[in-house]
Structure formats: structure tokens, C-alpha cells
């Protein structure tokens, strides 16, 4: 049986939006707030004295924190906003009768550490789509997008595939 | 303050990581949502969370990742470097849950001059089964 939606998804693979710049540089107060909430006492993030003598020469941000710098602002609203890859997919799936969503897997691969002062940005690529699948939740498609985070020197900081299941109830 | 790190040479495949528990309170869910800059209402607004079909507010994914990273580097010590963390998301984690981290060394190997271990880990809620699980790769000092 042909599946027009699946064919449409396949034709969109490789689409990239961005780069989107981070709202803030990597900075010590945000690192401390993160560590306070997580209760993470890793001295590379929290102890300037220790970190100064490490190979980094000073504190670094927890690598898992990369996305926190690039979450869109609550305010002000971006008047010129263009849909990003994930929003384009969401709009297509919602309009095709698959309105529900659940995040299923994510992964971080780290390449370059984040130091205070670094200016991050990311791109968002549509990486893959599964054929129509039936699960306990309903039937739909597993869609994977790839976040690629870079610093101001164009070094890749982190690659993050993120998979959602867009579905309708059985 | 003195910090120690696990040496790659001292690790064996099959070694268990220590079990660690963290009580997840309403304050945990909200403070981590804010520290990760995730203002989606389901992570701080009980009524909105109920309307979305869950029983309560729940931990956001960035925090799940942050707590997994903490679990791994608390074990390795600060010289252990996170290289890759795969996360399979399972049950949501709600206020009142206790998250229990467990793990073991699945593989020990060298690659491109790095001394690596692959850890299989799980974060389970005491009440509701697995919250997140997966594998992680760390580089350790030789």
C-alpha cells in the first residue's frame, strides 16, 4: 500500500533550519544554577580553584547543559519567527491526523567542552522517519531530528539526535 | 578539597556502579525546569499538567539528562569525561517519586588513544518502573 505521508516525510529528510544563536554566552552563574538544582558537585563545574589546575584552565559547563543555552526566550516574542524543522514536522503531522506526541529517545555526543564566554548556536536537521508503526499508544511515525551545536570557532560542541513518536489513538 | 577519579586500569567489565537515590520533590521539578530554562507549563503548573493528560507536573528531559550525567561523573570523579549518553525515555517522574540510579560497566576499550568505558545505566522510580535507561561512554584517566 502506498503511503503518501511517508513519501512526503522521506522527501523532506535532510532539511535544515538555523543556525539559531544562544540567548546567553556560557557563563558561571547559569552553570551554578544548574548545579544547584541538579545537586551536581563536580568541581570542574563548581570549584574554580580545582578547575584552574585542570586541563581546561578554569570551570567548564556540564556538557548536558548545552541545550539550556539555546532554549527559546519566554519574552520578548520573536516577531519574525520562521518555523524550525521540528515545528514544520509538527504542523505537517497535526494536519495529517497525527496530533499526539511523545519523546522516545535522545542522545548527546560531546566533542568540545563549553567554557564561560563561549557563544553557542545550533542547527536543526530532519534526520529520519519510520514507516507507519502501531504501538501501545497508537499508530504513527517515529521522527528523528538532529541538533548540532557549535561554538563561536565553528567547533562542534555536541550532536543530539532526538526522536519523537507522532501518533493518533488506536 | 581533594577529589579522586577512577582510573581506567582499575575498572573491570561487569563492575557495578553504586546505587544512588534522589527524592524528587515539587521543588526539584520546578527548580530544575527553571535552571534548564524550560518553561513548558507541564513542568511547573499542576492544572496545566492535568489538562495535558498526566497526573501531575513531571521532570523535563534536560533534567533527566543532567541527573544521568551527575550519576556518571559522581562515579567516575571529575577526570572522567562524558563522551556520549544515549537516553531511552520511559515513565515520567513525578513529585513524590524517588529516582534510583544503577549501572554497570559493559565494555572497556581503547580508541584513538582514549581509555573508554561503556556504562549501561537505568534511572528507575521507586513507584513507577523505569524512567530512563541507556548506555553512556566515558573516557577515564589511564
Amino acid at each position: 500500500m502506498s503511503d503518501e505521508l511517508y513519501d512526503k516525510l522521506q522527501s523532506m529528510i535532510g532539511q535544515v533550519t538555523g543556525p539559531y544563536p544562544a540567548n546567553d554566552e556560557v557563563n558561571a552563574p547559569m552553570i551554578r544554577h544548574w548545579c544547584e538544582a541538579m545537586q551536581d558537585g563536580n568541581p570542574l563545574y563548581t570549584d574554580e580553584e580545582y578547575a584552574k589546575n585542570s586541563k581546561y584552565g578554569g570551570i567548564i559547563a556540564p556538557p548536558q547543559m548545552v541545550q539550556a543555552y539555546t532554549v527559546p526566550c519566554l519574552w520578548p516574542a520573536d516577531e519574525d519567527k520562521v518555523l524550525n524543522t521540528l515545528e514544520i514536522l509538527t504542523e505537517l503531522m497535526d494536519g495529517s491526523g497525527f496530533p499526539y506526541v511523545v519523546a522516545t529517545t535522545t542522545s548527546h555526543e560531546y566533542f568540545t567542552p563549553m567554557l564561560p564566554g563561549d557563544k553557542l548556536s545550533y542547527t536543526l536537521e530532519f534526520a529520519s522517519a519510520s514507516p507507519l508503526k502501531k504501538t501501545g499508544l497508537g499508530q504513527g511515525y517515529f521522527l528523528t531530528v538532529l541538533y548540532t551545536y557549535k561554538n563561536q570557532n565553528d567547533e562542534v560542541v555536541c550532536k543530539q539526535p532526538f526522536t519523537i513518536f507522532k501518533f493518533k489513538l488506536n | 578539597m581533594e577529589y579522586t577519579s577512577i582510573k581506567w586500569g582499575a575498572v573491570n567489565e561487569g563492575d557495578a556502579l553504586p546505587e544512588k537515590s534522589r527524592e524528587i520533590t515539587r521543588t526539584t521539578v520546578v527548580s530544575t525546569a527553571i535552571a534548564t530554562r524550560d518553561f513548558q507549563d507541564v513542568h511547573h503548573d499542576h492544572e496545566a499538567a492535568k489538562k495535558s493528560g498526566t497526573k501531575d507536573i513531571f521532570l523535563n528531559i534536560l533534567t533527566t539528562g543532567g541527573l544521568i550525567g551527575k550519576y556518571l561523573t559522581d562515579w567516575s570523579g571529575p577526570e572522567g569525561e562524558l563522551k556520549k549518553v544515549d537516553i531511552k525515555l520511559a515513565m515520567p517522574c513525578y513529585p513524590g517519586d524517588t529516582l534510583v540510579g544503577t549501572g554497570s560497566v559493559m565494555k572497556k576499550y581503547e580508541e584513538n588513544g582514549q581509555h573508554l568505558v561503556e556504562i549501561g545505566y537505568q534511572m528507575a522510580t521507586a513507584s513507577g518502573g523505569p524512567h530512563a535507561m541507556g548506555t553512556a561512554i566515558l573516557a577515564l584517566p589511564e
Side-chain angles (χ1 to χ4, degrees):
Chain A
M1 200 182 82
S2 77
D3 180 342
E4 279 177 26
L5 181 54
Y6 178 67
D7 292 344
K8 169 84 180 154
L9 288 167
Q10 289 300 318
S11 75
M12 293 167 67
I13 285 173
Q15 280 190 16
V16 183
T17 57
Y20 304 100
N23 296 310
D24 298 290
E25 292 178 1
V26 176
N27 65 85
M30 282 175 72
I31 294 171
R32 202 196 62 72
H33 295 163
W34 172 286
C35 291
E36 178 182 358
M38 299 296 164
Q39 300 182 3
D40 192 335
N42 189 325
L44 284 175
Y45 318 146
T46 57
D47 183 337
E48 190 62 60
E49 234 1 77
Y50 174 89
K52 210 167 63 187
N53 296 311
S54 74
K55 66 177 181 181
Y56 306 107
I59 63 165
I60 60 170
Q64 319 86 271
M65 200 181 166
V66 61
Q67 203 177 355
Y69 287 104
T70 52
V71 177
C73 279
L74 263 186
W75 177 91
D78 183 355
E79 301 294 346
D80 306 318
K81 186 170 164 45
V82 179
L83 295 186
N84 72 28
T85 300
L86 199 51
E87 291 160 341
I88 292 167
L89 288 170
T90 299
E91 198 167 72
L92 170 67
M93 300 307 289
D94 287 350
S96 304
F98 297 88
Y100 298 97
V101 65
V102 62
T104 60
T105 57
T106 186
S107 173
H108 273 182
E109 187 170 3
Y110 304 115
F111 299 91
T112 305
M114 292 180 286
L115 281 73
D118 280 355
K119 295 182 179 71
L120 305 177
S121 64
Y122 73 97
T123 55
L124 188 53
E125 178 182 356
F126 181 28
S128 67
S130 75
L132 185 66
K133 299 266 188 191
K134 207 164 179 173
T135 74
L137 286 171
Q139 50 185 312
Y141 299 82
F142 289 89
L143 307 175
T144 301
V145 293
L146 175 68
Y147 293 82
T148 301
Y149 301 91
K150 290 184 173 178
N151 64 19
Q152 67 280 5
N153 303 320
D154 210 35
E155 296 167 312
V156 175
V157 169
C158 174
K159 288 190 176 197
Q160 179 191 10
F162 178 62
T163 303
I164 59 171
F165 183 52
K166 265 309 259 176
F167 65 100
K168 61 182 175 191
L169 303 176
N170 283 324
Chain B
M1 198 172 155
E2 286 294 309
Y3 301 97
T4 56
S5 294
I6 285 184
K7 304 283 189 214
W8 184 77
V11 174
N12 294 302
E13 290 182 2
D15 284 356
L17 274 60
E19 182 179 304
K20 297 280 181 183
S21 295
R22 170 84 181 266
E23 278 178 40
I24 303 301
T25 64
R26 205 160 286 280
T27 304
T28 316
V29 175
V30 174
S31 64
T32 53
I34 292 172
T36 60
R37 293 195 45 78
D38 184 343
F39 300 110
Q40 287 192 64
D41 54 14
V42 291
H43 304 306
H44 63 261
D45 181 337
H46 176 75
E47 295 305 321
K50 286 199 84 157
K51 252 184 220 162
S52 83
T54 59
K55 68 172 185 180
D56 203 343
I57 60 171
F58 56 95
L59 275 192
N60 69 335
I61 300 173
L62 270 100
T63 297
T64 302
L67 294 177
I68 291 166
K70 168 189 155 57
Y71 176 70
L72 295 168
T73 54
D74 277 358
W75 166 73
S76 70
E79 289 178 65
E81 276 176 48
L82 293 170
K83 292 292 179 188
K84 190 165 190 277
V85 181
D86 291 336
I87 306 177
K88 186 171 190 300
L89 299 159
M91 307 288 292
C93 180
Y94 298 107
D97 282 338
T98 298
L99 266 188
V100 182
T102 52
S104 65
V105 179
M106 296 169 69
K107 195 173 151 192
K108 176 181 169 178
Y109 61 107
E110 293 181 64
E111 200 174 86
N112 304 325
Q114 293 188 307
H115 296 83
L116 304 170
V117 288
E118 185 177 307
I119 307 295
Y121 71 86
Q122 178 167 286
M123 305 292 270
T125 62
S127 60
H131 168 60
M133 67 208 89
T135 57
I137 296 169
L138 283 86
L140 302 180
E142 189 175 0

